[in-house]
Amino acid sequence: MNTQFRYEAVNAQGAAVQGNITATDEQDALSQLRAQSLTPIELTAAANPNKNRRRQRITQSEKIMVIRELATLLRAGIPLADAVLSLSQARDGTTMGDSLARTARALNAGQPFLAALGEANIEFPTYVNQLAATGEMTGKLASALADAAKQMEYDDKVNQELRNSLIYPVILVFAGVSAVLLIFFFVVPRFANLIKGSRAADIPEISLWVINAGLFFRANWIWFLALTIIAGLAFYVSVKEEAGRTRWLARLSKLPLIGIWLTEAETGRWATTLGTLLGNRVPILSALELSAEGLRFPDMKRNVQFVVRDVRGGATLADTVAKYGVVNATGVNLIRVGEKSGELPQMVATLGELHSESGRNRMKRFLLMLEPIAILTIGAVIGVMMVAIMLAITSLNSTKF
């Protein structure tokens, strides 16, 4: 179990320094201080005000911030182990802080950065790990991490835009469904007494259907409520994990309108990741394999895997992506120009930007269409119910005369 220690020490220049350090025990704390060229003067266990705080899940924003800050510290010339330790101390008492502390200890023990990052048990995207390993090998870790943070920021931005854009349509649908249910539960059953004792033939079929449906709903509303709760919980469980969300996205990608948008956005995400990997000198086969791992749609993932197989066999990237329909004609031309000019990373990154922008525009058009469709649908349902009730009333009045 990790413990916070308060220390006072002297650094290599003879200056007094003090601060906090996370360690399993006092001996571990002393070892960490000596690894930082610090001579301990005093070391005491510090009270941790967050000791009993429930550990929170690490958010995507926290992950992006850590990678971005680490890249900035490395560019400033701070050693990797010191930079990670500084980040962990800044987040003392949090889940992220504890994870980074484990990474810092692994680095001080001589482990490479990728292995030390694995000690943190933080679920970074796969391309982050590959970029980190490549950057460490090429001596450009700061640049590689900056590119990783940029890609993570883009992915998070797209997800945020989608969530924000869906807020109003979801509220609109919820309000409309609630209005329909209220009419079924409170309004429609009141007209059931009007048709008692009257001839069924005098009541239009649509009126009978609506009134009977309202009576059935009111008599079985507990079961409807229970089924709704169960369905909601089942949906929540299915999207709680990344694998469940991926399965839902794969299903949605096969729908007529939304499927085109999702496929376009996924293609842009894949191309952007591939361009980032190639730009950091990841071999093309490794970059293709890694970018394929991040794809969420089975059909697209299978096609990219076919591309990897053919490229390994000696085919050009442009010919294979055209063969399996991974990108459109414009994308094929960009990749072919990149292969001939030696600027493949830049061309693939440009392709990612084009597809991402196209996917974003499709998303906006889809959401613009979603609002009026929802309004018209709900309005039509309520209108049919009101017409059915009015027809029942007018039929009864006509029968009396």
Side-chain angles (χ1 to χ4, degrees), residues 16 68 80 136 138 164 171 201 217 219 231 273 284 294 319 330 340 368:
R68 176 67 70 188
L80 178 59
E136 192 171 24
T138 60
N164 294 338
I171 293 176
F217 175 79
T273 302
I284 185 169
D319 291 339
T330 302
K340 291 180 179 179
L368 286 175

Side-chain angles (χ1 to χ4, degrees), residues 220-263:
N220 300 277
W221 69 271
I222 295 180
W223 293 107
F224 279 103
L225 180 61
L227 289 174
T228 302
I229 294 174
I230 292 173
L233 290 175
F235 177 75
Y236 172 77
V237 171
S238 68
V239 300
K240 186 177 181 181
E241 302 296 334
E242 182 65 28
R245 292 192 292 270
T246 300
R247 285 192 293 269
W248 276 103
L249 285 174
R251 297 188 189 104
L252 292 174
S253 68
K254 300 182 182 300
L255 297 179
L257 289 177
I258 191 174
I260 300 174
W261 150 46
L262 290 175
T263 301

Side-chain angles (χ1 to χ4, degrees), residues 3-42:
T3 304
Q4 293 290 323
F5 289 90
R6 180 74 178 173
Y7 69 85
E8 294 183 10
V10 178
N11 61 19
Q13 290 74 35
V17 294
Q18 59 182 2
N20 294 326
I21 192 170
T22 303
T24 56
D25 52 32
E26 185 173 334
Q27 189 62 39
D28 183 28
L30 292 173
S31 299
Q32 290 186 46
L33 292 174
R34 294 192 185 100
Q36 299 174 45
S37 300
L38 297 175
T39 302
I41 299 176
E42 183 178 352

Side-chain angles (χ1 to χ4, degrees), residues 165-332:
S165 299
L166 285 175
I167 290 176
Y168 178 69
V170 168
I171 293 176
L172 182 64
V173 170
F174 178 78
V177 171
S178 299
V180 171
L181 293 178
L182 287 174
I183 293 174
F184 260 131
F185 194 82
F186 293 105
V187 179
V188 173
R190 291 180 178 273
F191 290 90
N193 294 327
L194 296 177
I195 65 174
K196 288 182 179 180
S198 64
R199 291 177 300 170
D202 297 330
I203 308 299
E205 288 293 330
I206 188 173
S207 301
L208 291 173
W209 185 90
V210 170
I211 293 174
N212 289 332
L215 292 173
F216 179 79
F217 175 79
R218 185 166 187 173
N220 300 277
W221 69 271
I222 295 180
W223 293 107
F224 279 103
L225 180 61
L227 289 174
T228 302
I229 294 174
I230 292 173
L233 290 175
F235 177 75
Y236 172 77
V237 171
S238 68
V239 300
K240 186 177 181 181
E241 302 296 334
E242 182 65 28
R245 292 192 292 270
T246 300
R247 285 192 293 269
W248 276 103
L249 285 174
R251 297 188 189 104
L252 292 174
S253 68
K254 300 182 182 300
L255 297 179
L257 289 177
I258 191 174
I260 300 174
W261 150 46
L262 290 175
T263 301
E264 192 87 19
E266 188 72 359
T267 303
R269 182 173 171 269
W270 168 77
T272 303
T273 302
L274 179 61
T276 301
L277 293 169
L278 294 174
N280 283 273
R281 300 182 181 179
V282 177
I284 185 169
L285 286 174
S286 298
L288 284 169
E289 291 173 348
L290 186 62
S291 62
E293 291 178 7
L295 287 170
R296 295 171 290 185
F297 301 158
D299 293 343
M300 188 180 297
K301 187 172 185 177
R302 183 177 60 252
N303 289 338
V304 174
Q305 289 171 343
F306 288 153
V307 169
V308 175
R309 182 195 62 190
D310 289 3
V311 170
R312 183 179 286 111
T316 64
L317 180 59
D319 291 339
T320 53
V321 295
K323 177 181 178 181
Y324 296 108
V326 177
V327 296
N328 55 24
T330 302
V332 173

Side-chain angles (χ1 to χ4, degrees), residues 278 284 315-319 331-348:
L278 294 174
I284 185 169
T316 64
L317 180 59
D319 291 339
V332 173
N333 290 333
L334 283 172
I335 293 175
R336 183 168 284 115
V337 170
E339 288 181 313
K340 291 180 179 179
S341 64
E343 300 293 334
L344 185 59
Q346 291 81 348
M347 293 295 103
V348 175

Side-chain angles (χ1 to χ4, degrees), residues 117-196:
L117 194 61
E119 296 289 334
N121 293 325
I122 303 173
E123 294 183 0
F124 287 109
T126 309
Y127 58 80
V128 174
N129 297 329
Q130 184 65 33
L131 285 171
T134 304
E136 192 171 24
M137 287 188 297
T138 60
K140 296 183 176 181
L141 182 58
S143 176
L145 292 178
D147 287 339
K150 182 179 178 181
Q151 180 62 30
M152 291 174 68
E153 287 172 347
Y154 170 76
D155 292 344
D156 188 57
K157 180 181 178 181
V158 172
N159 292 333
Q160 289 285 355
E161 287 181 353
L162 176 59
R163 284 193 292 267
N164 294 338
S165 299
L166 285 175
I167 290 176
Y168 178 69
V170 168
I171 293 176
L172 182 64
V173 170
F174 178 78
V177 171
S178 299
V180 171
L181 293 178
L182 287 174
I183 293 174
F184 260 131
F185 194 82
F186 293 105
V187 179
V188 173
R190 291 180 178 273
F191 290 90
N193 294 327
L194 296 177
I195 65 174
K196 288 182 179 180

